[in-house]
Amino acid sequence: MKLVVDLTRCQGYAQCAFLAPAAFTMHGDGEALLYDPDPSEELRERVRRAAAACPVQAIVLDRGPAGNGDRAAAAARHGGMDDAFLRTGRIVIVGASLAGARAAGALRFEGFTGSLTVIGDEPHDPYDRPPLSKQVQQGRVRAGHTALPRRQAIDADWRLGVAATGLDLAGKQVRLADGTSVGFDRLLIATGVRARRWPNPAEAALNGVFVLRTREDAEGLRALLAERPGRVLIIGAGFTGSEVASVCRELDLPVTVAEAGPAPLVAALGGAIGRVAADMHREAGVDLRVGVKVTALEGEDGRLRRARLSDGSTLDVDVAVAALGGVRNVEWLDGSGLAAGPWGVACDAGCRAFDVNGLVTDDVFVAGDVARAPQPLFGYQFLALEHWGNAVTQAEVAAHNMISDEAHRWPHLAMPIFWSTQFGTEIKSIGVPNIADQVVITQGSVTDRRFVAAYGRHGRLVGAVTFNQAKWLEFYGEQIEQAAAFPPTYRTVDPPAERRPVPAEFPTQPISTQSATVVLTGHDPSERRATLLPAQPAAAPSGTPTPRA
């Protein structure tokens, strides 16, 4: 039995923890839900009852094999689809990820019965990544038990353990690392991101130096944490770094966090709320050092022994986790003619990829962490969102549009939502807080770590962040969709005594596409063309989390 909890929907009612406490637990004093993604057969009935009782239906269970494009699914789909393509078309998905798997399932559900191929560079079935930094490191779940539910219900040719190495747009072929090619009529790119590794290769190769992205990363880190190291060093206090630091303190391991910025999570929450996160670190016993970079990692006999910091100090450490953000997996698209680079793969709101001339392609779609799409609610900025919920909703929109005509395609307008569980607190965000210039506490108490922070830009509400107050997230999402004024003037439950906006204090971020080098040729409009020159992404400074938007 496999399950996953859509924590973008969970509101902390804890019915699941009451009905199946061996599979679901509320962590800490707040709403931080942890769960076993692979509960034993003895728990099957309890888990099913918990899923049925969830007030927001956030628990997704493995329902077992399903029919391939049955009549009910075909009847449920919207009009405007090419019946011939539904039966005989060839669709290839590159990326056996959350987005890739969700898109494959959506295609079959909507009645596509043609050829479906899913290509993935990892040898595993699609699996859920959030538990790798939490439940797996706590020893609650093994890394190999994080497979996503519904995998076996998807009738597809799964090419796992072989990476895509190139794309021939004109010939409609995906080239693979084993020397073969796969033809397609329509293609979905869902290759996601990989962890940004420590920039010094010799230091990165030391035993004890980790990144955390794959099952293998999680297994290796868990094994060393179980050996009770003398001190763990976390380089970067973004979401992954903060979550690993939280687990280390739960395991009663000494941990130092080195963050180049002024506070943890500053790129996502801003400095004003980031200082609340800093207090959580220190109250839990984390040796948090902000405004500090790691300048070198040193080893003896191939094993990590110490780290040197920019403030001149030296730490004796046995384990170091480089939590420096992600690198989008786009190298295989070099020379393909798509607008792809370190910023991701540019696409329209219908998930159709742009070519290097800025023209929309008809047969190539993008979804998940690698997609960079316009956000109409936020000034049509092109944003790449590395969020679980975005991968799910964007994949379903892409799948629908791949088998629909122009008149029946959907725009991807889902509100960005992300979450993080750390130090017994569930932090959730809706909208795009990091474009804000001001923030105000609208409900609850910062001291009690139960509050809502509303974010505004130029007098408009653009985001909200909750600490153990997830029940209010939907309300604030509706306000953002209606372009509500900022600061909010409506009455709320449990308002603080002071509701004065303060600067949000987000770091100045460069435009992610400014590194794109384009050469134009031709003079006549019929000959005018653009050529994109590939560029390697710049290495992130040590201890600096990469901005996610």
Side-chain angles (χ1 to χ4, degrees):
M1 184 181 203
K2 301 289 190 297
L3 70 87
V4 65
V5 178
D6 182 351
L7 291 174
T8 63
R9 301 180 66 181
C10 175
Q11 297 181 4
Y13 287 103
Q15 289 296 309
C16 57
F18 174 74
L19 292 169
F24 306 92
T25 58
M26 298 304 292
H27 184 54
D29 297 327
E31 302 172 357
L33 177 68
L34 296 178
Y35 61 92
D36 182 351
D38 190 18
S40 66
E41 285 300 307
E42 290 77 14
L43 295 175
R44 177 181 292 271
E45 192 55 38
R46 284 182 174 271
V47 169
R48 282 180 172 170
R49 276 190 235 155
C54 176
V56 293
Q57 294 296 284
I59 302 171
V60 179
L61 301 179
D62 189 343
R63 301 295 186 186
N68 197 26
D70 57 30
R71 291 184 179 180
R77 71 178 189 269
H78 292 258
M81 296 184 183
D82 184 339
D83 287 336
F85 182 79
L86 289 176
R87 295 192 307 272
T88 63
R90 298 174 303 162
I91 291 180
V92 171
I93 298 173
V94 181
S97 55
L98 172 65
R102 185 60 68 103
L107 285 167
R108 291 307 194 199
F109 176 77
E110 291 212 37
F112 178 72
T113 59
S115 169
L116 179 59
T117 302
V118 184
I119 298 164
D121 60 348
E122 293 188 61
H124 316 293
D125 289 345
Y127 60 92
D128 205 25
R129 297 188 191 275
L132 300 183
S133 62
K134 296 181 275 290
Q135 293 99 307
V136 171
Q137 301 311 315
Q138 293 168 331
R140 294 170 179 259
V141 178
R142 287 189 291 173
H145 288 189
T146 56
L148 289 166
R150 299 181 182 271
R151 156 67 174 86
Q152 70 267 34
I154 303 170
D155 177 15
D157 178 13
W158 294 84
R159 304 281 188 95
L160 301 178
V162 56
T165 58
L167 173 62
D168 177 1
L169 272 183
K172 291 194 171 183
Q173 297 280 324
V174 176
R175 295 189 291 273
L176 304 182
D178 62 5
T180 63
S181 295
V182 181
F184 64 87
D185 297 314
R186 288 172 192 162
L187 170 70
L188 176 63
I189 298 169
T191 46
V193 302
R194 63 185 182 275
R196 188 182 299 276
R197 298 194 173 272
W198 183 247
N200 184 309
E203 296 174 5
L206 290 170
N207 185 7
V209 179
F210 289 89
V211 294
L212 186 53
R213 178 69 183 177
T214 67
R215 277 183 171 177
E216 289 76 15
D217 297 334
E219 288 170 348
L221 178 58
R222 171 57 191 162
L224 277 190
L225 294 185
E227 293 177 4
R228 310 292 304 171
R231 179 163 294 275
V232 178
L233 171 65
I234 311 295
I235 309 171
F239 290 110
T240 299
S242 296
E243 288 168 3
V244 175
S246 172
V247 170
C248 287
R249 291 309 303 139
E250 290 173 36
L251 298 175
D252 197 27
L253 296 175
V255 57
T256 296
V257 174
E259 166 56 45
L265 307 175
V266 68
L269 307 183
I273 303 302
R275 285 190 288 275
V276 179
D279 291 341
M280 288 167 48
H281 277 250
R282 294 188 173 109
E283 289 169 8
V286 174
D287 173 23
L288 175 64
R289 311 208 184 174
V290 297
V292 173
K293 297 181 180 180
V294 176
T295 58
L297 299 175
E298 299 177 353
E300 296 173 4
D301 300 322
R303 187 173 184 86
L304 176 67
R305 294 301 181 193
R306 66 191 64 85
R308 297 192 181 277
L309 277 58
S310 60
D311 62 4
S313 62
T314 301
L315 290 174
D316 292 330
V317 296
D318 302 306
V319 176
V321 180
L324 303 174
V327 178
R328 294 179 178 91
N329 293 315
V330 296
E331 291 82 359
W332 69 285
L333 295 170
D334 286 351
S336 67
L338 293 181
W343 57 86
V345 183
C347 63
D348 71 357
C351 304
R352 297 178 298 176
F354 290 137
D355 69 10
V356 295
N357 296 295
L359 296 174
V360 173
T361 59
D362 290 325
D363 300 320
V364 181
F365 295 75
V366 197
D369 296 354
V370 76
R372 192 169 201 88
Q375 299 290 325
L377 279 172
F378 306 100
Y380 292 92
Q381 293 189 64
F382 278 77
L383 302 177
L385 302 171
E386 298 175 30
H387 305 157
W388 194 96
N390 181 72
V392 169
T393 56
Q394 194 171 37
E396 292 174 346
V397 169
H400 174 85
N401 290 347
M402 292 178 84
I403 54 177
S404 300
D405 64 21
E406 186 76 26
H408 294 86
R409 285 176 174 165
W410 299 338
H412 173 52
L413 299 176
M415 185 73 63
I417 301 176
F418 70 79
W419 78 86
S420 178
T421 301
Q422 49 189 269
F423 305 107
T425 298
E426 185 82 348
I427 302 172
K428 288 191 175 182
S429 167
I430 194 163
V432 185
N434 64 2
I435 67 171
D437 48 34
Q438 289 187 307
V439 62
V440 62
I441 305 301
T442 56
Q443 294 176 243
S445 165
V446 171
T447 303
D448 295 338
R449 305 287 185 266
R450 298 186 69 89
F451 65 89
V452 180
Y455 289 76
R457 177 180 175 83
H458 299 165
R460 177 192 155 202
L461 184 68
V462 295
V465 170
T466 65
F467 279 53
N468 286 338
Q469 289 279 31
K471 296 179 181 65
W472 290 102
L473 213 63
E474 184 177 347
F475 169 79
Y476 283 89
E478 292 171 353
Q479 298 302 308
I480 296 168
E481 289 178 350
Q482 298 302 313
F486 180 90
T489 57
Y490 40 76
R491 296 178 63 183
T492 59
V493 175
D494 192 22
E498 176 67 42
R499 290 183 52 159
R500 180 176 57 86
V502 299
E505 301 179 35
F506 283 103
T508 301
Q509 299 178 9
I511 300 172
S512 297
T513 54
Q514 68 180 11
S515 60
T517 303
V518 175
V519 175
L520 297 180
T521 59
H523 298 283
D524 187 271
S526 65
E527 300 173 347
R528 194 79 163 151
R529 293 291 182 269
T531 301
L532 177 63
L533 303 183
Q536 295 298 319
S542 61
T544 303
T546 301
R548 297 190 174 213

